[in-house]
Structure formats: C-alpha cells, structure tokens
C-alpha cells in the first residue's frame, strides 16, 4: 500500500511544494519592494519646480499695538461723550483739542506734522497688510498639497558654511544667505585660489540643490588669502 503524499515518512515528495510557494511569494514581495524602492519621487505642486510663495506673518505685534491704541482712544471719547450726555462738563483735553482744530489754519506747522504722522502710520499699516513678511524663512519645494515647509536662512547659511569648510585649503568661510543670492566669502591659506573657487562652486551648488528650496538663490563665491598679521 502506498503512503499518502502528505505523510511525514515520504522522502522529499511533499516538502518542495511549500518551499516553492514560499519562494514564489518571497520573490513577488521582493519584486514589489524593489519596485516601490525605485519609484520616482512624488510630483511637485504649485507649478514648475514646486515653487510657492513666501510665508505670511501673523503680524501679532502691530495688530496688538493698533488694537490697544484704538481701544484707548475709543474708550476716552466714549467716556467723555457719556459725561456730556449726563450734564457734566466735557474733559479739558477734548475742549482744548476742539479749540485747536477750530483755530489753527491748515498750513500750520503742527497740523502738517500731525497729518504727516497719520499718513506715515497709514502707509505702514498698508505695507504690513500687503506684504508677507517672515523674510528669515525660505519656502521649500512643495510635494504634498497639505504640507508646506520652510527653511530658516541662518540654518541654510550654516549648512553652506559647513560644506565649504570641507574643501581642502579653506581656512574660514562667511556666508550671507539672502532670498535671491547666497554670498560666500572664503579665506584659503594654501592651494591655488582658482582651484579652491572651482571646488567651492561645485560643492556649494550641489548643497543649494540639496536644500530643496522652491527658488534656489544664485551663488556668489569670493576667495582670498588671509591678511598679514601685525
């Protein structure tokens, strides 16, 4: 009588099947994992290169100052109006203000000064309302519709300085990171200056691309010898 194929006494008749199935399954998983690992990065959003605008400041301090001033002025005028309505005399400062406004001509120096201050404050508020602010934050490339990222300018400058210090011959580096240009000034104590500058151009250009900024700044590199001591 022959033994069933699933018995433990059979020599290699039942073991290859599960092994083959596991191998096939593993191969499928490995293939899927490899395909996932080599998938292209997600497409950038907001137009070409994932560019997006600057971050807008909340303007909490200017808004708080304006709100406090308006609250104080409105409260003072409201108190004085209520006092007059209750058959009390108007406050001295309001009577004096009304008299000055009635007697002073429009070309008076103090009237012109007050008007200039009011215009300056109004222009300041308009500028604050129409400009984004947060100049120290550089917007990064946007790859997800619900996520925005920014990089601090000081952190970006520090990254470029660390990469520049890895170049042979560079003694010190000073980096000024702007929104449109990265100004790098290096001091080299050996090697030819042209060679050091070429290495800095290559390394720092790659570093700027690695920052992932939506609008990479232009690179400006200056290399010089250290000054004489004494």
């Amino acid at each position: 009588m022959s033994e069933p194929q699933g018995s433990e006494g059979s020599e290699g008749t039942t073991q290859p099947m599960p092994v083959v199935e596991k191998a096939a399954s593993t191969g499928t998983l490995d293939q899927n994992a490899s395909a996932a690992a080599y998938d292209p990065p997600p497409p950038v959003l907001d137009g070409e290169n994932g560019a997006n605008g600057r971050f807008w400041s909340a303007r909490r301090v200017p808004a708080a100052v304006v709100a406090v001033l308006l609250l104080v002025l409105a409260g003072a005028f409201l108190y004085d109006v209520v006092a007059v309505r209750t058959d009390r005399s108007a406050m001295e400062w309001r009577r004096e203000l009304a008299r000055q406004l009635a007697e002073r001509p429009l070309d008076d120096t103090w009237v012109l000064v007050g008007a200039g201050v009011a215009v300056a404050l109004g222009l300041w508020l308009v500028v604050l309302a129409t400009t984004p602010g947060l100049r120290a934050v550089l917007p990064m490339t946007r790859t997800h519709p619900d996520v925005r990222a920014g990089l601090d300018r000081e952190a970006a400058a520090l990254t470029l300085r660390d990469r520049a210090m890895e170049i042979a011959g560079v003694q010190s580096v000073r980096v000024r990171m702007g929104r449109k240009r990265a100004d790098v000034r290096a001091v080299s104590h050996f090697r030819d200056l042209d060679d050091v500058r070429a290495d800095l151009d290559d390394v720092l250009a790659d570093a700027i691309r690695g920052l992932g900024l939506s609008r990479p700044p232009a690179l400006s590199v200056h290399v010089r010898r250290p000054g004489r001591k004494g």
Side-chain angles (χ1 to χ4, degrees):
M1 181 181 294
S2 62
E3 296 181 359
Q5 292 183 353
S7 64
E8 295 180 358
S10 59
E11 298 179 0
T13 57
T14 58
Q15 294 300 325
M17 290 302 295
V19 173
V20 172
E21 292 177 358
K22 289 183 179 179
S25 177
T26 304
T28 303
L29 293 176
D30 291 342
Q31 185 178 0
N32 293 336
S34 299
Y38 290 100
D39 277 345
V44 295
L45 304 177
D46 293 342
E48 289 189 23
N49 300 326
N52 54 85
R54 289 163 53 189
F55 291 84
W56 279 77
S57 173
R59 311 289 192 188
R60 292 185 177 89
V61 174
V65 171
V66 173
V68 170
L69 291 178
L70 292 178
L71 181 63
V72 171
L73 290 176
F77 277 104
L78 180 62
Y79 176 82
D80 194 59
V81 169
V82 171
V84 173
R85 293 294 184 181
T86 55
D87 297 332
R88 295 183 181 180
S89 61
M91 299 182 69
E92 181 64 26
W93 65 269
R94 193 164 75 92
R95 290 202 302 263
E96 181 65 19
L97 178 62
R99 186 182 66 81
Q100 292 291 341
L101 292 177
E103 295 178 357
R104 287 184 179 271
L106 295 179
D107 58 351
D108 185 78
T109 302
W110 287 107
V111 173
L112 296 178
V113 170
V117 171
V119 170
L121 290 176
L123 290 177
W124 178 60
L125 294 177
V126 169
V127 170
L128 291 181
T130 56
T131 55
L134 291 182
R135 299 176 61 87
V137 180
L138 302 174
M140 302 179 68
T141 301
R142 192 169 185 175
T143 58
H144 194 279
D146 298 328
V147 178
R148 290 193 66 193
L151 182 62
D152 188 78
R153 285 167 58 179
E154 293 184 0
L158 183 61
T159 301
L160 296 184
R161 187 188 69 83
D162 291 343
R163 291 293 301 273
M165 289 298 296
E166 298 174 358
I167 303 299
V170 175
Q171 183 179 16
S172 63
V173 181
R174 184 168 59 90
V175 180
R176 293 185 60 185
M177 191 72 177
R179 292 187 295 112
K180 297 182 179 180
R181 191 178 73 169
D183 189 7
V184 180
R185 299 184 180 272
V187 176
S188 176
H189 56 297
F190 71 92
R191 292 184 67 198
D192 185 74
L193 294 183
D194 292 335
D195 295 340
V196 176
R197 186 180 297 107
D199 290 345
L200 285 173
D201 287 336
D202 294 339
V203 171
L204 294 180
D206 181 70
I208 290 177
R209 287 192 297 269
L211 294 177
L213 300 178
S214 63
R215 294 182 177 89
L219 180 62
S220 176
V221 178
H222 305 274
V223 184
R224 63 177 179 86
R225 294 295 185 195
R228 294 182 179 180
K229 297 181 180 180

